Structure formats: C-alpha cells, structure tokens
Amino acid sequence: MSGSADGPAGPGARLRLRRRAAFRRPTRAMRRGLSQLICAIAGLLLGMVAPMVAVGPQVEAGRVVSLLFTIGFGVISLVSIIYSMLFLVVQFSASTFTPRLGLFRDEPIVWRTFAFTVGVFVFCVTSGLTIGVGPSVSAFVPVTAMVLALVAIVFMRTLQMKAFDSIQLGHSLTAIATRAHLLFDELYAQPYAQPYVQPAGAVGDPHPETAGATGATAVPWSGAAVVLQQFDVPALVGAAREHDCTIAFRVAPGTTLSRGVELAGVSAGGLSEERLRGALLTGVERTFDQDPELPFRLLADIALRALSPAVNDPATAVDALDRLEDLLTRLAGRELDIGRFHDDAGRLRVTIPVPGWEQFVRTSVDDVVFAAAGSPMALRRMRDLLRGLAERAPEGRRGVVRDRLRWVERTGEERYPLVWTAPGGGYGHGDVG
C-alpha cells in the first residue's frame, strides 16, 4: 500500500474509518426511549388539535369521549398483556437453545410497537379530555382513533409473528448468522492475503500486545462486576491525542470486568480510570455489536445443549455446526488483526485485543468435539466441517484445523470403527497432513 493510497481519501484511510465506525458506541438504547417519547408527544399534539377540526359530519361528544377512552385503555391493556406473554414464552423457548440468546428483545418491531401503542393511548386520552363536555365534535376524531387502533393491531400481529419465528430453531440460527455476517463485514474488510501495512508516517508499535507496555501505567477496574460490551474508539483516540499518550487495553468486548482487573496500560501523560470508563459501554451480558466471538459462542452453546444427555438431539447439533462452518469459512480468508487505531496524524493511539483465528476455531470446535464423541452423526458432521475448512482456509491457518481434524478422526475410529467411513472412500487421521 503506497503512501498516496493511504492518504486522506485513499482506501487505507477509508478502511480505518470504516473499522473505527464499527467500534463506535451505538445509540440503540437511546433510540428506543426516543421513539417512545416522539410517539407520546405526537399523540399529545394530535389529541389537542384533532378536536378543533370542524370539517365533516358532527357526532355527539359524549359518545365519542366514551369511545376514545375505551380504545385508549383497551389498546394499552392489550399490548401490555401481549408483551408479558411474549417475553415469558419467547425467553423460555430461547433458553432451550441457550440462555444467552436474546435476539427477540433487540428486534426493532418490539419497541416500535410499544412506542406506537403509547402514542395511540396518549392521543385517545388527550382527545377525550380536550373534547370535554362540548355538545358535538367532528367525526374526524373517532375515525382517526379507529385508524390508529387498526394500525396498532397490525403492529401487534407483526410482533406476534416475529415472536413465533424467534422460537423456531431455524430462524434463531439464521438470525445469529445474519448478525454475525453484518458484524464481520464491518470489522474484517481486509483479505488475509494482504499483510497489515502501517499508514504512511505512522508511529508506534504495530503489535497490540506490546503497544504501550514500555513505561505504561496500569489502570485497574474499580467498579462493580460488569460485562464490557463496547468501546467508543473515536472518543478514546481523541482523549489519547489530547494527552499525547497511547492506550493499550488488556480486555476485549465480552470480557467480565471485576474489581482489580487491569483495564488498560496507559503510557506517560496518561488518563484517569474515569476518563477511560466514560468511553466504555458495559452491561450485564454480551452483545453482538463489537463482540465477533459471541456468534460462535452461541452456536456452540446450542450444539452443546443439543448433545447433552438430557436433550440428546444430535440433529439440532448438526444444524448448529452447519452455521459454525459458514462463519468460520467467512473469516478464514480475512485479516483478523484489527485492534490498532491511529489518529489523523497516523500515530498509534489505541490498541484493543481481538480474537485470532485459533481462538475462533477453539470456541467453535473444542467443547463440541467432547460432547459429540457420544454421537456418530454429530462427530461425522464435525469431521466434514474440519475437512472443508482445511481445504478452504489459507495455508497459514490450516495447522490448527488439521490438529482438530486428527483428533476427530482418531475419536471416530476408536468409538465407531464399523461406521466411521467417509463418503467416497476412507479418510483416516493419517491422511490429514
């Protein structure tokens, strides 16, 4: 990569900006609350204006007020019951796959439906109070209330269908894979064959494990135990540039932070823990946003639970392994070392530990192989997964795959000598490298 290509408008700069954008703190939680506030305000304004409309036929005000209050309280009561039942049923069903599966809760339709219903309720109550004891009111008001109620019912039906989909295995596996694909496309845009090249004029250690180590001050975590979910990298780069220091984080998204855990190493001129914590998003569980290992963990959990003696459903484990193979194949040809972030002058400012190829393979395969040893169906599918991955992965990444393929072949030959034959001929562990 030439220096000109990595200039302000070059592909290297665009790649760094794209990767930095993926490490920006999202505003999803704020958007949820904001959508409810906007719908409530819109309902309030519409409820105050609608009774003033004088066009169209007039109807008795008392009957309209009764209708408005009936619709308003009926809609909000119905959606409350639906939400209570859906979250109970969906969460119970999701826990049969893995208790860490919370995709339905994050679906936009869930919060949009609630926000719209709140708006309908506010409109109905406000309109009823605005009409008061007047003799008559335009038919525009009850017609509007009926239309809004019908739209709310459409939202509720869509919500129920989404909930039904979310308790199906195929939909859950597809949803996990889809979220993973979107995340991988944001984080891993560089092909593996293209080695990392520091930007022109960049200063700093290219290796995140050593960056900031010399003369660095360790910053421990002093708060309550939480899960690190996301980094606000632009804010961190700006803070590091302001203090002319380098921040080398020791923890990655998905790590549980407990009191005393070393959060980061900060070079001379350093930052306080409070400043660092202000650029972190923490919570009680892992999220997809900056945690590329989470999809592998979820799929492996589904396979492990399906292979447990209590469930004993190897076909479900095979379905999960199908998706694991897809994700591993997608990452096999991509550059995974993405944890370095430079300022506009090209100086290395922030490093974040990120999972490498071996960690992805270990999370996907190791525990499942132990559980699959009791199921020839699952063990054969694991063998096929590793064979295909060994063929498609770049040569530099095949070693860790071949080690596990030998392990699976040896286990299959020892436990199932009569059925351990590969399609198209024998493929023993002596043939894998």
Side-chain angles (χ1 to χ4, degrees), residues 80-103:
S80 299
I81 294 173
I82 290 176
Y83 266 65
S84 299
M85 294 299 296
L86 286 185
F87 276 104
L88 177 63
V89 172
V90 171
Q91 183 58 37
F92 175 79
S93 300
S95 65
T96 62
F97 303 140
T98 168
R100 283 164 287 280
L101 188 61
L103 296 175

Side-chain angles (χ1 to χ4, degrees), residues 38 62 65 74-75 212 290 331:
I38 290 175
V65 170
V75 167
Q290 293 180 9
L331 288 186

